[in-house]
Amino acid sequence: MGNTLTCCVSPNASPKLGRRAGPAEADYASDIYEAAAGDAVAVAPSPDTVEPAELDFGAGEGHHLQHISDREMPDDLALESNPSDHPRASTIFLSKSQTDVREKRKSNHLNHVSPGQLTKKYSSCSTIFLDDSTVSQPNLRTTIKCVTLAIYYHIKNRDANRSLDIFDERSHPLTREKVPEEYFKHDPEHKFIYRFVRTLFSAAQLTAECAIVTLVYLERLLTYAEIDICPTNWKRIVLGAILLASKVWDDQAVWNVDYCQILKDITVEDMNEMERHFLELLQFNINVPASVYAKYYFDLRSLADDNNLNFLFSPLSKERAQNLEAISRLCEDKYKDLCRAAMRRSFSADSFIGIQRSNAILS
């Protein structure tokens, strides 16, 4: 290592090279690994040593074999760019909404529109305002409003109209009544999307957590299948995401035949086929890490703030403060028990009685 330059040019250096056949075999035989950069140590050539003239370090001629870390980099980048899989990637709906938010703020500034009366409440020294929505127990009504608003921005700011036949409402209608063609030429309003999703959640008695998982599956489908959500397919895509999220999240999931009772004109065979295609397009990846779930929850709260969808705040009462303190104390006791159990498992000396701790000195 150090300032030496090592390379491998022998076609028989690895047994894997001999297993390749065809035109690509010649390229792999002359590939070069660069292990370090810097000044090379001059070594006298031997009969078995390849002459420097035979080493072609030219770029773009197919002679360099990528390091394994370089070969894995595109996959890592693709994973990090998918918000439904990686917690560090920004959600698609939040980025699509920023265009409208910036235009709205710019218009208000140019037209000298005052924000009006402030509806959001802020905490002070004497009063603390809290809402009833947390990452583990979100508020159902507000969460559905935020999720449907995210779907609205997906439809409004879509890149194209790429779709699949299984999600096309013209090929697989949800109602027996003929839908006019003009209906599919206009983007649905937010209140219409909210009414559709709220009806499903109310009839199936689904939870707010299921709504967040629904949005994760929806963005994962758009990314994996490389399609867009548009006026012709948004209902069936949302229905498929809700169907899958309810089965993954809830212990007592709603059956497909139950959705046929909610949507009277859809058949259970159609529901089964749509669910099967949805899973195949997701590559059966239905895992939602806790970090991804938390990211979507807080991004939905940011979306609500940008669009004046404020959560219901109320002053912190004495009873609620006591409940929060009791919950915190319970979590702290559980954490201490886990730490004690971990320390007991780590004891290796028979004469080791316990661990003495010294008080911290704060200066």
Side-chain angles (χ1 to χ4, degrees):
M1 303 302 289
N3 289 330
T4 61
L5 178 66
T6 59
C7 58
C8 175
V9 295
S10 175
N12 299 322
S14 173
K16 294 183 180 180
L17 299 178
R19 289 197 292 264
R20 298 186 61 90
E25 189 171 3
D27 294 335
Y28 273 85
S30 60
D31 287 330
I32 299 171
Y33 288 97
E34 291 189 9
D39 298 330
V41 178
V43 180
S46 63
D48 297 333
T49 304
V50 180
E51 294 295 333
E54 299 181 27
L55 299 180
D56 186 5
F57 290 94
E61 297 182 3
H63 295 290
H64 284 283
L65 181 64
Q66 286 180 316
H67 191 269
I68 185 171
S69 61
D70 298 330
R71 292 200 300 269
E72 292 178 352
M73 188 63 68
D75 296 336
D76 294 340
L77 290 177
L79 179 63
E80 293 186 6
S81 63
N82 189 353
S84 62
D85 290 322
H86 202 281
R88 289 183 296 185
S90 60
T91 52
I92 303 176
F93 71 86
L94 194 61
S95 61
K96 287 183 177 293
S97 67
Q98 293 306 308
T99 304
D100 288 34
V101 171
R102 286 192 296 266
E103 290 180 356
K104 188 184 301 182
R105 291 174 179 172
K106 183 179 180 181
S107 176
N108 292 339
H109 176 72
L110 294 177
N111 297 327
H112 303 285
V113 178
S114 61
Q117 184 179 2
L118 294 177
T119 58
K120 186 175 181 179
K121 300 178 181 179
Y122 295 90
S123 301
S124 63
C125 297
S126 59
T127 307
I128 299 177
F129 287 97
L130 295 177
D131 59 71
D132 60 345
S133 181
T134 61
V135 67
S136 58
Q137 292 182 345
N139 179 272
L140 177 60
R141 180 175 175 271
T142 310
T143 302
I144 293 179
K145 275 193 173 183
C146 294
V147 169
T148 53
L149 184 61
I151 298 173
Y152 167 78
Y153 280 120
H154 264 291
I155 300 174
K156 182 180 180 182
N157 299 324
R158 63 188 182 274
D159 298 328
N161 289 314
R162 300 169 298 177
S163 183
L164 296 174
D165 181 71
I166 188 61
F167 299 120
D168 198 327
E169 198 174 344
R170 293 171 296 187
S171 303
H172 303 272
L174 298 178
T175 176
R176 294 179 183 176
E177 300 178 1
K178 183 176 179 57
V179 180
E181 192 66 26
E182 193 70 17
Y183 168 80
F184 300 108
K185 297 181 180 180
H186 302 283
D187 297 339
E189 299 180 1
H190 173 228
K191 61 181 181 180
F192 188 70
I193 304 174
Y194 171 74
R195 194 180 303 122
F196 176 77
V197 176
R198 186 191 61 182
T199 301
L200 293 176
F201 270 73
S202 177
Q205 298 181 356
L206 302 178
T207 60
E209 297 90 341
C210 184
I212 299 176
V213 178
T214 296
L215 184 58
V216 176
Y217 287 158
L218 187 145
E219 292 202 343
R220 187 174 294 176
L221 174 73
L222 300 182
T223 306
Y224 282 23
E226 297 182 352
I227 61 176
D228 302 286
I229 183 168
C230 53
T232 60
N233 63 9
W234 74 267
K235 278 189 177 181
R236 292 182 63 86
I237 289 180
V238 171
L239 177 60
I242 293 176
L243 171 67
L244 190 58
S246 64
K247 291 186 176 182
V248 173
W249 184 263
D250 293 337
D251 294 332
Q252 296 179 348
V254 182
W255 291 9
N256 292 4
V257 68
D258 295 328
Y259 286 99
C260 298
Q261 301 297 324
I262 304 172
L263 304 171
K264 302 294 184 181
D265 297 332
I266 193 171
T267 62
V268 67
E269 291 80 13
D270 187 15
M271 294 286 295
N272 295 339
E273 183 182 6
M274 182 174 59
E275 181 185 11
R276 184 171 61 253
H277 279 79
F278 206 108
L279 282 171
E280 291 175 353
L281 293 172
L282 290 185
Q283 302 174 18
F284 297 93
N285 179 16
I286 58 175
N287 178 46
V288 179
S291 55
V292 172
Y293 172 88
K295 176 189 65 177
Y296 271 80
Y297 169 79
F298 288 110
D299 281 0
L300 285 172
R301 291 192 69 111
S302 300
L303 181 69
D305 290 338
D306 293 338
N307 292 270
N308 298 323
L309 290 178
N310 296 323
F311 287 74
L312 297 177
F313 287 90
S314 60
L316 179 62
S317 61
K318 182 179 179 180
E319 292 77 10
R320 190 175 182 188
Q322 291 175 347
N323 292 335
L324 291 175
E325 186 179 1
I327 294 174
S328 300
R329 192 181 299 113
L330 180 62
C331 295
E332 185 178 358
D333 293 341
K334 288 183 178 179
Y335 176 73
K336 288 182 178 178
D337 293 340
L338 291 175
C339 290
R340 293 193 191 99
M343 285 187 291
R344 282 196 298 268
R345 287 196 299 269
S346 63
F347 291 164
S348 58
D350 296 335
S351 60
F352 197 78
I353 299 176
I355 298 178
Q356 295 184 2
R357 301 180 178 84
S358 59
N359 296 327
I361 300 176
L362 302 179
S363 58

